[in-house]
Amino acid sequence: MAIRELEKPRAQMCGHFANGCSIYQDRPASCRGFRCAWLINPGLDETWRPDCAGFFIWFDHPTRRMIVETDPDDPDAWKRDPFYARFKAWSDPRNYPAGMEPWGVVVRRVTDLTVVFPETEIELGPERGAGILSGYELKGGRPTPFARYVDEV
């Protein structure tokens, strides 16, 4: 997410994020208006609070992706319990009611992106600014996860 007031470009970790927001009391208006998943989902307990978890989650509604932004000092925090199992469950289309389009789960470790599936993760490498195409395709008669940048199609 870009933050105009801080001159923070999209796809770059905020320089004020390290074990939580270091300018929380004086954060700019766009940050004050932002609501991470922990703030809006009462089902996420204190374990999921960004400064405790080592990441924060936000929703990119146009792409129906849940973005997990990791702390650069702890880029694999999302793989610890209880987080990893929950991300896997959220990525599983079988866990959504019939007719409801599932949310994709994308982890951003500084600038590298990983798409999470119930059975695997696919590393996309550095973000390119291109969209992501992901889902399942038939290989050998079996649905197999795929993820790639749109410019690779």
Side-chain angles (χ1 to χ4, degrees):
M1 299 178 329
I3 303 172
R4 186 183 69 255
E5 298 96 329
L6 298 176
E7 297 180 9
K8 184 196 118 14
R10 184 179 174 281
Q12 180 180 343
M13 182 58 74
C14 180
H16 299 287
F17 182 76
N19 215 9
C21 178
S22 63
I23 60 166
Y24 187 79
Q25 296 302 325
D26 300 314
R27 67 196 186 281
S30 59
C31 294
R32 289 181 186 277
F34 175 76
R35 297 289 180 254
C36 70
W38 181 77
L39 288 172
I40 61 174
N41 186 336
L44 299 178
D45 64 20
E46 287 290 309
T47 308
W48 291 82
R49 195 176 77 200
D51 60 332
C52 296
F55 57 82
F56 69 92
I57 304 166
W58 60 280
F59 299 97
D60 185 4
H61 291 274
T63 65
R64 280 198 69 80
R65 296 192 193 280
M66 175 186 308
I67 311 297
V68 180
E69 302 267 2
T70 65
D71 185 330
D73 294 330
D74 194 4
D76 292 322
W78 69 280
K79 286 193 168 186
R80 290 196 290 268
D81 285 331
F83 314 121
Y84 188 69
R86 184 80 72 95
F87 290 132
K88 291 289 199 172
W90 284 334
S91 74
D92 192 338
R94 297 170 296 189
N95 291 331
Y96 290 81
M100 182 179 186
E101 186 180 346
W103 285 83
V105 178
V106 176
V107 178
R108 180 180 286 125
R109 293 180 343 270
V110 187
T111 59
D112 286 351
L113 299 183
T114 301
V115 179
V116 178
F117 292 90
E119 58 276 272
T120 193
E121 297 90 45
I122 298 177
E123 304 278 338
L124 293 177
E127 184 169 7
R128 298 184 189 171
I132 297 171
L133 187 61
S134 64
Y136 289 84
E137 57 193 359
L138 285 179
K139 284 190 176 177
R142 301 180 67 157
T144 304
F146 77 89
R148 58 186 164 265
Y149 289 110
V150 172
D151 62 2
E152 293 176 349
V153 175

